[in-house]
Amino acid sequence: MDLVASLRAHRLLAVVRGTDPDAALRTVLTLAEEGIDLIEVSLTTDNATKVIAQARAELGPEALLGAGTVRTTADASRAVDAGASFLVTPALVDGLQSVAVPVLMGALTPSETELALARGAGAVKLFPASLGGPGYLRALRDPFPDVPFVPVGGVDAAAARAYLDQGAIAVGVGSPLIGDAAHGGDLAQLRSRAAAFREAVPRGTR
């Protein structure tokens, strides 16, 4: 998987985190049906690796399905074994350079950005993005013009557009998109939110 090309092409990474594994799986499949193809299942989801494995079986080998909240090499191994094609961390994590899939590594500051790149990050997850907002991303891109940043954390539809305008290659969106769907909530409302985000975040180009 070419992580950066996929992020540039799809521009919207859905972050699924829930307390009901069956609902989390339904959420992943519904997002895919609605044209949101880049999906992360957080390892804080109950039975997350089972959800990833079932979603992989349903969506096929080419689906852009990843695992999030990867904090250790053991987490990474479990996620890859379950079928994750990319990993997302909330912070700097050592030892992921040798994993078989690309990593979107969490960082916030300039120093952390450098460390994420040194640890083999394919792209940098700017987290929590809401602390600085689009203006902070603009400031970061002055010294790091070539770093592929993906803001995550507090990103609603309006903020998504603003981050993309400031040079983000994609945005990661959790609760503003997922709502309570992964806890057993209404999938019709999820579909409505998905449509709104797809309008706010049009696909890019590779």
Side-chain angles (χ1 to χ4, degrees), residues 115-154:
L115 289 172
L117 298 172
R119 284 164 169 76
V124 175
K125 169 183 169 180
L126 184 62
F127 178 78
S130 58
L131 285 182
Y136 180 65
L137 173 62
R138 182 177 65 248
L140 270 182
R141 292 196 71 249
D142 285 340
F144 299 107
D146 300 322
V147 173
F149 284 107
V150 181
V152 181

Side-chain angles (χ1 to χ4, degrees), residues 72-165:
T72 66
T73 55
D75 286 345
S77 295
R78 290 191 298 116
V80 173
D81 288 346
S85 56
F86 64 95
L87 305 177
V88 185
T89 77
L92 299 171
V93 178
D94 287 322
L96 300 187
Q97 292 95 326
S98 60
V99 298
V101 300
V103 178
L104 173 60
M105 190 169 290
L108 180 62
T109 67
S111 294
E112 290 175 353
T113 297
E114 290 284 15
L115 289 172
L117 298 172
R119 284 164 169 76
V124 175
K125 169 183 169 180
L126 184 62
F127 178 78
S130 58
L131 285 182
Y136 180 65
L137 173 62
R138 182 177 65 248
L140 270 182
R141 292 196 71 249
D142 285 340
F144 299 107
D146 300 322
V147 173
F149 284 107
V150 181
V152 181
V155 179
D156 59 16
R161 184 71 262 168
Y163 283 117
L164 293 170
D165 287 345

